[in-house]
Each structure stands twice: as structure tokens, then as C-alpha cells.
Amino acid sequence: MKSGLLTIVDELKRLRKSGIETIYVSESSLQKLRSASRSAEDLEKRDAEAAIASIPENIRSAKGEELEKLLTSQASSKAVGSSSPKESGVPNPPNVVLPDGAKEERWEFLRETVLNCPTCNEHVRSGYKIVFGVGDINADIFFCGEAPGADEEEQGEPFVGKAGQLLNKMIQAMGLERKDVYIGNIMNWRPELPSRIGNRPPTPEEMAFCLPYLKAQVEVVQPKLIVALGATAAKGLLGAQAFRSLREIKGQWQDFDGTPVLPTYHPSYLLRNNTNRDKRAAWEDLLKVMERAEMPISDRQRNFFL
Ligand code: URA
């Protein structure tokens, strides 16, 4: 059993090296892990600690049942194990027709439409919330993320967790406040997983379903530009085939139905890669955003993270 666990650990290390940070573990694999970890209790303490130390960062401190729980919650599009995450199918994307009228009314209509969307309601966890965009409906800058996480589905607002706190700081570094920009997500619900811990990226079908709601928000707000936060948001806006790696288009202006889009790092990426080099690379994108939005830029701002 010990060699079985170490094989899993080696496989997890291999996946992490190849850039995969989250994995999906099927129910049957979990059963095996459960019995493996029960047997592991019999291992000498030294060996067990060595095995745990080899587990990827986010599950490193977990043991036994806690480890099982965390493994249950991990998921990604590159599934490990035989079955895919519980994703009930989504219907064809909705046809959103905005009413004529004042901006506020159009936005309110759209918000009500999304909050009452049967598919969104079917997918959102019981007791949690659909997440619609927030901010200034007259904003020049529209930040677009991927999908709500645990904090967002609790509060019904995009970017309110740790990534949101960093996004707020990025906005402040630009000389703005959160209320001065518009913030939305490709997805209006948190992609489902068997437990509340962990996140998985939305499927292309899920993103295609929610995209008309995002498009309609752009149509109402009419921002000067959109900042796509991370590869998934960029794929949602530009199409899954538009690029393979974010590196190919990061910091280069793209187009979403006539609105300029600048793809940059997701704040969660910056939380994980907290180096001055990455911060500067993200900041240079935000300087481009400020220039395109015709915002004043001080010398001090130009030199952030140099
Ligand atoms: N990450 C996102 O992409 N969107 C959120 O709303 C929160 C975290």
C-alpha cells in the first residue's frame, strides 16, 4: 500500500511539473485512496511524513481523511481517473434581447434575466447565489474574470475573495476605485464539483451558455475596453481556438465584437507567482489599459515594480 501511495505522489509531482495544478479524482479512485490512506496509518511516521511532504502545496498539510476531502475537491479539465466532473449538460445559449430605454433600465432588465435564468438556477448550489456583474455601468474599463469561486457564490458578487482583494489593489494602483470600473465574469455560476472545496475551470459549453449574458453586459456598459483576466476569460471572449497559451496573446490587443480586449494575468496567478517580474508584467498591461482609456499616468506609476 505504501508503494501505491508513493506512486500517486510521484504522479502528482509529474503533473505539477507539467503545469497542472488541480486535478479531478473519480469516486472509484477515491475509494482506493481511502483504503490506501487507512493502511498508511500503519506506516512508520517518518515514511508517512515524507509522503505527505511530497504532495502538492495546496494539499501538503492534509492527512488521512482531510487529504481525501481535498483530493475529492480537486479538479481540472485534464482529468485524472476515469470519470468526468459532475457537469449536467447545458442547453443552447440564450438569445438575449435588450429592451430599449435608459442604460440603468437595460442593465436592471439584464440582471433580472440572469438572476431568473432557469439554467443558472439549476446549476447554482442550493443556498448559494448566481453572480452577475457589478460596478459603474458607465465605466470605461470592464474587467472580465472566469467564474465565481466560493466567496463569490456566497455573496453573489464577482471578485470578493482573495483574488478580488488583489484586483482591488490593481485598480487602486491605476488611480481608480472598484466602484469606478465594471467587473463581470464569463460564467454566472460557480462550476459544480462534488464538494465546496476547490474550483474547476468551466467547460466550453458552460462558457458558451453564459457568453450572451456577458455580451449583453458589454452592450449595455459600452466600455472603452475589456481586460480579460487569465486564459479562461480570454478563451471565453475570444474563442477556445484563439490561442493555446496565454503567453501568445498576453498584453496584445484583441477584439470582442468591436470592443478592444487586453488579456493579462488572472489575479489568482499573481497570488501564486508573487514575483516582481510577474507583477511588473501584469502592471505593464495595466499601463497599456490606462493609455488606451486616456487616463493620466504619473512617473511614479510608470515605475511600479521596476
Ligand atoms: N475568479 C474569477 O475569475 N472570478 C471571480 O469572480 C472570482 C475569482
Side-chain angles (χ1 to χ4, degrees):
M1 209 42 89
K2 175 183 169 188
S3 70
L5 272 181
L6 291 178
T7 306
I8 292 167
V9 168
D10 284 342
E11 174 64 4
L12 289 172
K13 279 163 115 180
R14 193 189 62 74
L15 288 171
R16 185 175 56 184
K17 254 197 185 157
S18 71
I20 295 170
E21 292 178 338
T22 53
I23 57 161
Y24 173 74
V25 183
S26 69
E27 191 50 44
S28 66
S29 305
L30 272 173
Q31 291 294 355
K32 286 179 195 148
L33 274 170
R34 273 187 198 107
S35 46
S37 69
R38 269 195 290 272
S39 305
E41 283 165 16
D42 300 326
L43 291 177
E44 284 179 21
K45 193 169 175 277
R46 181 173 42 94
D47 287 348
E49 279 171 358
I52 286 159
S54 312
I55 290 171
E57 217 177 273
N58 61 335
I59 50 177
R60 187 172 296 155
S61 60
K63 298 181 198 174
E65 290 202 347
E66 198 189 343
L67 169 62
E68 290 167 25
K69 256 200 235 153
L70 282 167
L71 286 173
T72 315
S73 70
Q74 301 300 307
S76 91
S77 48
K78 304 231 172 119
V80 173
S82 53
S83 64
S84 57
K86 179 187 165 269
E87 293 147 14
S88 28
V90 282
N92 288 334
N95 183 23
V96 181
V97 181
L98 288 167
D100 291 337
K103 234 180 178 184
E104 289 75 9
E105 285 162 17
R106 282 155 66 84
W107 183 82
E108 202 48 61
F109 167 90
L110 183 56
R111 183 169 176 275
E112 283 302 308
T113 304
V114 173
L115 298 188
N116 291 303
C117 159
T119 303
C120 299
N121 277 291
E122 195 185 298
H123 284 265
V124 82
R125 254 168 277 247
S126 154
Y128 293 93
K129 296 183 179 156
I130 291 171
V131 177
F132 188 67
V134 292
D136 182 359
I137 59 169
N138 295 304
D140 286 342
I141 303 175
F142 189 127
F143 284 95
C144 178
E146 163 183 334
D151 297 304
E152 288 76 22
E153 74 167 354
E154 238 172 73
Q155 297 185 41
E157 181 169 335
F159 284 101
V160 289
K162 284 203 178 112
Q165 283 159 24
L166 179 55
L167 179 61
N168 292 348
K169 283 191 192 156
M170 289 157 70
I171 293 167
Q172 280 160 7
M174 295 167 75
L176 298 170
E177 294 296 330
R178 183 179 166 97
K179 65 171 174 48
D180 301 326
V181 300
Y182 192 86
I183 306 176
N185 276 317
I186 300 286
M187 292 289 299
N188 300 103
W189 69 80
R190 183 178 176 204
E192 298 131 299
L193 278 173
S195 97
R196 281 212 75 235
I197 314 167
N199 292 309
R200 71 165 168 85
T203 63
E205 294 75 23
E206 288 169 330
M207 291 205 282
F209 180 85
C210 290
L211 194 61
Y213 293 144
L214 198 268
K215 247 185 202 175
Q217 287 173 84
V218 175
E219 195 183 328
V220 172
V221 175
Q222 297 192 318
K224 279 188 181 161
L225 59 94
I226 300 170
V227 183
L229 297 166
T232 307
K235 285 208 162 145
L237 290 167
L238 307 171
Q241 308 307 324
F243 61 94
R244 277 194 306 180
S245 155
L246 182 67
R247 222 174 306 132
E248 292 163 31
I249 55 158
K250 183 200 153 291
Q252 295 171 38
W253 288 103
Q254 311 291 318
D255 176 81
F256 177 68
D257 277 357
T259 306
V261 177
L262 196 75
T264 190
Y265 292 138
H266 193 286
S268 298
Y269 171 88
L270 294 169
L271 287 171
R272 291 195 305 271
N273 298 278
N274 188 20
T275 64
N276 256 28
R277 210 182 75 177
D278 285 310
K279 287 185 206 166
R280 177 67 198 179
W283 180 243
E284 281 176 8
D285 296 339
L286 294 183
L287 286 174
K288 287 183 192 167
V289 164
M290 291 168 75
E291 273 163 11
R292 187 121 190 189
E294 299 176 287
M295 291 168 61
I297 307 178
S298 67
D299 287 346
R300 191 170 156 265
Q301 279 173 316
R302 287 208 183 275
N303 293 329
F304 280 167
F305 307 114
L306 275 182

